[in-house]
Structure formats: structure tokens, C-alpha cells
Amino acid sequence: MPSYGPPSALRTVQYYIFIFASFFLSLCFLAVIFVGALIHTAGTAISETRLRWSGHNPDTRRSFYTEEQARRKARASADRRWALRQQKRDVDEEQGPEECQECPSLEGGKDPVVGDVAYYARRVGLDVETFRVQTEDGFIITLWHVYNPREYEALSPEERRERGPEVFTKPRMPNASRPHSNRRYPVLLVHGLLQSAGAFCTNDEDSLAFYLCKSGYDVWLGNNRCGSHPEHTTLSTDDPRMWSWDIRHLGTLDLAALTSRVLYETGFEKLGLVCHSQGTTQTFVALAKEHRPELGEYISVFCALAPAAYAGPLVSRPYFRFMSLLSPAMFRVVFGIHSFIPSMMTARRLLPPRIYGTLAYWVFSFLFDWSDTRWERDLRHRMFQFAPVYVSAESMRWWLGSDGFAKHKCILSTDDELFQETNASPHMRDPVSNHGDNPGDACLGTPAPSPWYGPRTPPFAFWIGGSDALVDGRRLLNRFQSGREPHVSLVHSKIIEEYEHLDVLWAMDAIDQVGREVSQVIWTTVPDDARQICRTPRGLNIDMVDRG
């Protein structure tokens, strides 16, 4: 990690040279990706056009085509009812089941497609309040609290402001002063790379955040540093010291600050942690013995969706290989020493949301080799209003640089371990996953000299996409099932063969495949003293809870 001194005239000139050089070079890189995405999309469009000319509808091949049509009609009907209600007409006969729900909609009508989690929460009868959280190194990050306005009154802005850098202090109010029953157990959700926590809130009732809230949990959405609005207590955005961080800082500092604030506000001693993609990576890193293992004492269970610990075959694509071939110095010349390709965020801010949503899908689908075949296509524009966000160029170098994840294929490996693993006898190596990875890759081979995790590690649970080309969840699962982590209890694991990387969040059946099981696992691992004062979430298999 580079070290930058305080600003001076000479340093300022150097920094601006980096800014101008990286602006044009990274823009050229992005342009190449965009052209590739257009060509890829054009090929798909031509194939679909030929099908239509031959009298076939290509949409019928989508996984949930019939359900998509039914939801489109239901949404149009709900929009009409909302419009009539807003006009204060007598619509007793028009009102459908929505009016009788426990959480009636607070917003409605045609979706304006906005990057506002509170708006989408109100569409399903919930609401969101924003907390400002300060990390130990001075970043101000945002924490969203999802709540039912019929049960909870939002705190004042003063109560929601940052409290300083200290973590794991005494709660706002001790448990003795809080209700002794019917409380909600806290759950913290953390997002993936280039996203915000809004990714958990884009699917109406089928959004994981809203589902867990309506099930009976106290849901908190954590955003990593910089995000949509970079802020620091002392540093400005043009100071490279504000961008000198990577995944280790997200785990040991951001995750700790978010966890601490949730526990402070709720008065509980532990919470359930649910992470997607990079969110799982920062947790895996933070809980490791060499980083911040004490964080595990505040987590009752870690639910990892599309866990990112081992690389999939996608990192061998030409554009990722180009980034991994750059030396650290050249990487900083091309991508800068500040934010990673900030022109992406400029495009999100300036383009009409539906146009941006379409273009963003084309680009990210091309980059990461996934499709929307299992998503509700009418909601796809929403999904990209919360991505990308500002991340540091250094964090992307950690992922894709010449000495990072793309090279080692693993997040927690030392040079000594790599040497031992790659020189181990063949019969000691892990089975090669069906992605076709080379057995000589880093992190394949004999068990590491010591486990990654110690006795303070919370239970883990995995939901793995079987068709996920970005990360290799099978290899991670094998590590835990083969006994290489004796201190970790793997309480649940599931491979969903047809799922790609984002399907664990956005597939139309994600609540059935993932959400209900996440709720079950969280409640099964809730500490006994907390379970005594919390309401039992809806939809649980009580027999499984009793056995747990």
C-alpha cells in the first residue's frame, strides 16, 4: 500500500499529473470495454431478431417468463389503484389486497427509477433512516436502517450523526431499559464490489432486506467507505491519502464500525451478518487470525451469499489479464491514485436512469458474464441505480493487480503457503472444480500450515451459485468440509446449480432459494438470551429451530 505525505506544492503537481493521465488512459480502457459490450449485445439482439422473424418469441425462454407477465399485470393494477387513491376517489371496489396488508404502500404509481432505498422501502410499506458512522481511520460511511413505520419512529438527525471513531462502546440504552419481549433481532447486510447496499432493495417484496424486515428482523444495511458520496473527517477527495485503502480496510475498519453502531443502537451483544460477494471477502479477511478475529465475538452467524474467497475462471478474461499484467507503478499511471474510473459515476449521475440502467447492464453483463434470464426484467433498471459507486484504485489493484487476487486466485494466502500448496503431492490436492481450474493454481493443494480462523470465529453458512464464473464457491466449501478450518462451524451450505453471481440477490425465486433459509439460519443461531426477548420471525421451520 503506497504512503502519501501531506499536501505540498510539488506533491499537488504530481497528484494532478496522475489525475489527468489516468483520466484519459482509464477512459480509453472503459471505451474498449464499452465497445466490446456493444458488439456482444448486438450479437444477442441479432439472434433474437432472427427468432422473432421466424415466428418465435425469445422471451419465452426466460426462466420465469409466465411469472414475469403475471407480475407486470399485477404491478399495473396496483399503479392504477394508487393513482385513484391519490385522486381521493371512491375506490372501495377498486382496492385490492394491498389495502389490507399489514404494511400498506406509502409510495406508488409508475416507478421513476431512482437511487433511493427509502423510496423503494415505502413502496412496500416500510421506510429507511440514514445513520452516519465514523470509522477508526476517519471515513464517514452510511448505515441504512429499514423499519416498519407502524412500529418504530425514526430518530432525529442529531441522534443519527456520527459518534466518533470508537467502536464497541456501551449501547445507547442498556437492555434493562428496553422492552423485554417482542423485540427484533438485528441483522446487518453488506454489499458487493462496486455496489451499495441498495442492491438488497430493488425487488419490491422479494428484496432480501424487505423480506427479512417483514419476517420480523431488525434490518440494517451497511455501506463501505466512499460509496456514492466520499467523505472523511480531515481529508478531501483530491488527496490520495483518502484513497489509499483496499479490502483489508473494509473488513477491519468499515465492517467493525458498522457492526459496532448497530449493536450500539439496538442494545444487543451480537447480530446476524449477511454479506454478498465482496462483502463476504471483507468478512473473511477481517475474521482471520492475523487481522481482527475479535470481531467474531459480536456476530452470531455469518451468512455468505456468492462467497468470494477463490477466483473463478472469469479472471482469465483478456481485459482482466491486461490489468493483472500491469506493474503496481503502471497500474497507478493507468487507473490513478484516487477513485477507480470516476467517469462511471459521472455517467450514472448525468444519464437518464432508464438509459443508464440499460447501458450499465450491457457493460456489466459483458464484463462478468452473467445475464438477466432469472431476474424480473421490468425491475432491471432499478438494479443499476446503486452501481457503480466510488472505490479506490488501490482496492481494484488488490483484486486485479499483478500481486493481487487475480494472480493468487485466493484471498488469504502467504508466499510460504503458496509454495507448499503448489509443490504438494498430487493426492493431497483438492479436487479440481468443474470450472476447469489448473491444479497448480495458488490455494489448491495441501492444507495450509495453519487454519485461517481461530476459536473466536462465528458459525458460517454458504449459498453458492453453481454457474458462477466470477468466484469458485465449491473450492471454498471443500476447504471447510475437509476439516481445514477446525474452529469454524459450517451450519449450512447450498449450491444452487443454475445460479450466477447476482442471482442470489435478484433471481425471481431468490427468496425461496436463499431468503427463507437465511432467515432460518439466523434464528437458529441466535443466542438463547436474545431469543427470549425477540419475536419469532415468520415462516420458520420450528422443528429445525428446536433441533438447532
Side-chain angles (χ1 to χ4, degrees):
M1 185 66 62
S3 177
Y4 302 100
S8 66
L10 179 59
R11 286 194 178 112
T12 300
V13 171
Q14 293 174 333
Y15 298 161
Y16 275 101
I17 291 174
F18 270 107
I19 290 174
F20 286 118
S22 63
F23 172 79
F24 291 106
L25 292 174
S26 64
L27 197 60
C28 290
F29 176 80
L30 184 61
V32 171
I33 296 297
F34 186 69
V35 170
L38 288 180
I39 294 173
H40 177 265
T41 303
T44 302
I46 291 172
S47 298
E48 291 185 352
T49 300
R50 288 175 176 171
L51 279 174
R52 293 184 190 278
W53 284 351
S54 64
H56 299 87
N57 183 358
D59 290 341
T60 58
R61 299 182 300 179
R62 294 176 57 78
S63 300
F64 300 99
Y65 175 73
T66 302
E67 178 66 16
E68 282 186 279
Q69 302 307 304
R71 291 191 184 187
R72 179 176 297 167
K73 292 178 181 178
R75 189 174 294 109
S77 177
D79 290 347
R80 288 194 298 270
R81 292 198 304 271
W82 176 265
L84 291 173
R85 191 169 73 182
Q86 294 303 102
Q87 295 171 11
K88 298 183 179 180
R89 295 180 179 177
D90 183 9
V91 292
D92 290 343
E93 295 183 0
E94 292 285 335
Q95 291 178 346
E98 177 184 272
E99 303 300 316
C100 301
Q101 292 177 354
E102 180 183 350
C103 300
S105 297
L106 306 175
E107 295 277 4
K110 184 178 179 180
D111 181 7
V113 187
V114 292
D116 181 359
V117 292
Y119 171 78
Y120 290 113
R122 290 192 293 270
R123 285 183 72 98
V124 297
L126 303 174
D127 211 336
V128 171
E129 59 179 345
T130 300
F131 289 76
R132 291 165 55 87
V133 178
Q134 183 176 337
T135 67
E136 292 164 275
D137 58 345
F139 282 88
I140 304 299
I141 57 180
T142 54
L143 175 66
W144 294 326
H145 180 213
V146 183
Y147 64 91
N148 183 344
R150 291 191 169 191
E151 298 181 0
Y152 172 89
E153 183 177 349
L155 299 179
S156 68
E158 180 64 23
E159 292 174 299
R160 291 184 275 117
R161 68 186 300 273
E162 61 272 22
R163 299 182 51 254
E166 297 81 12
V167 295
F168 302 115
T169 58
K170 293 182 179 180
R172 177 187 296 276
M173 292 187 296
N175 274 332
S177 64
R178 294 171 179 264
H180 288 282
S181 63
N182 203 37
R183 295 180 59 193
R184 291 171 173 259
Y185 188 70
V187 178
L188 173 63
L189 280 64
V190 181
H191 58 84
L193 178 63
L194 292 173
Q195 290 184 315
S196 77
F200 295 105
C201 305
T202 60
N203 291 54
D204 289 335
E205 299 283 353
D206 290 326
S207 303
L208 182 59
F210 302 154
Y211 169 77
L212 291 176
C213 183
K214 290 192 174 186
S215 295
Y217 290 104
D218 191 8
V219 175
W220 299 76
L221 306 175
N223 293 285
N224 287 317
R225 59 186 61 196
C226 294
S228 298
H229 304 286
E231 187 176 356
H232 194 277
T233 54
T234 59
L235 302 176
S236 63
T237 55
D238 58 356
D239 189 330
R241 291 177 296 175
M242 184 170 176
W243 302 96
S244 185
W245 51 266
D246 60 25
I247 195 73
R248 292 165 292 188
H249 299 78
L250 302 185
T252 59
L253 298 174
D254 290 19
L255 182 60
L258 293 167
T259 301
S260 173
R261 186 60 180 269
V262 172
L263 297 180
Y264 171 82
E265 296 295 338
T266 61
F268 283 88
E269 295 181 355
K270 294 189 177 187
L271 54 74
L273 179 63
V274 181
C275 301
H276 174 247
S277 190
Q278 179 186 261
T280 70
T281 306
Q282 67 191 80
T283 305
F284 284 131
V285 169
L287 295 175
K289 293 185 297 183
E290 295 79 9
H291 292 109
R292 199 163 190 168
E294 67 273 15
L295 184 59
E297 298 175 354
Y298 302 98
I299 299 170
S300 58
V301 67
F302 167 38
C303 297
L305 315 183
Y310 292 88
L314 200 66
V315 296
S316 298
R317 290 287 180 93
Y319 36 86
F320 292 138
R321 287 188 62 83
F322 164 76
M323 298 175 73
S324 68
L325 291 174
L326 297 175
S327 67
M330 279 305 301
F331 194 99
R332 294 179 184 118
V333 169
V334 175
F335 297 106
I337 56 177
H338 296 80
S339 173
F340 180 76
I341 315 185
S343 53
M344 295 189 295
M345 280 61 75
T346 302
R348 179 164 65 88
R349 186 172 62 252
L350 297 179
L351 290 175
R354 295 181 187 276
I355 293 177
Y356 172 78
T358 298
L359 296 178
Y361 170 73
W362 291 352
V363 170
F364 286 108
S365 175
F366 169 71
L367 273 176
F368 300 117
D369 195 29
W370 37 247
S371 71
D372 67 350
T373 187
R374 306 188 68 81
W375 311 348
E376 187 174 356
R377 182 170 283 178
D378 288 349
L379 303 183
R380 196 179 70 187
H381 295 308
R382 290 184 192 176
M383 299 170 180
F384 294 95
Q385 301 311 306
F386 302 98
V389 296
Y390 289 100
V391 299
S392 71
E394 286 299 325
S395 69
M396 294 304 295
R397 191 174 72 82
W398 188 93
W399 281 110
L400 299 170
S402 60
D403 54 352
F405 176 74
K407 174 186 176 182
H408 297 313
K409 307 285 195 301
C410 185
I411 63 170
L412 287 169
S413 290
T414 65
D415 291 339
D416 289 340
E417 290 171 351
L418 295 179
F419 179 81
Q420 293 185 33
E421 290 171 357
T422 54
N423 288 278
S425 59
H427 71 275
M428 292 294 291
R429 290 185 172 142
D430 291 338
V432 180
S433 76
N434 62 3
H435 289 321
D437 297 303
N438 183 347
D441 283 347
C443 287
L444 280 175
T446 59
S450 63
W452 291 346
Y453 302 105
R456 291 189 283 184
T457 308
F460 285 5
F462 298 152
W463 285 263
I464 295 166
S467 300
D468 189 344
L470 185 58
V471 297
D472 192 345
R474 284 186 173 88
R475 192 181 300 179
L476 177 68
L477 182 59
N478 179 71
R479 178 181 184 88
F480 286 87
Q481 291 181 336
S482 63
R484 280 191 266 174
E485 295 295 341
H487 297 294
V488 180
S489 172
L490 184 63
V491 295
H492 181 88
S493 64
K494 181 179 185 179
I495 297 176
I496 310 168
E497 293 295 342
E498 65 274 17
Y499 267 27
E500 297 173 331
H501 194 67
L502 283 167
D503 289 344
V504 291
L505 297 184
W506 294 344
M508 291 182 66
D509 62 345
I511 294 300
D512 292 329
Q513 293 277 17
V514 178
R516 300 186 196 283
E517 295 177 6
V518 167
S519 176
Q520 185 82 38
V521 168
I522 293 173
W523 187 249
T524 301
T525 53
V526 167
D528 290 338
D529 56 344
R531 191 179 298 176
Q532 297 300 319
I533 62 174
C534 289
R535 67 181 68 177
T536 301
R538 298 175 179 174
L540 297 182
N541 184 330
I542 301 301
D543 291 338
M544 290 183 63
V545 174
D546 293 339
R547 289 197 299 269

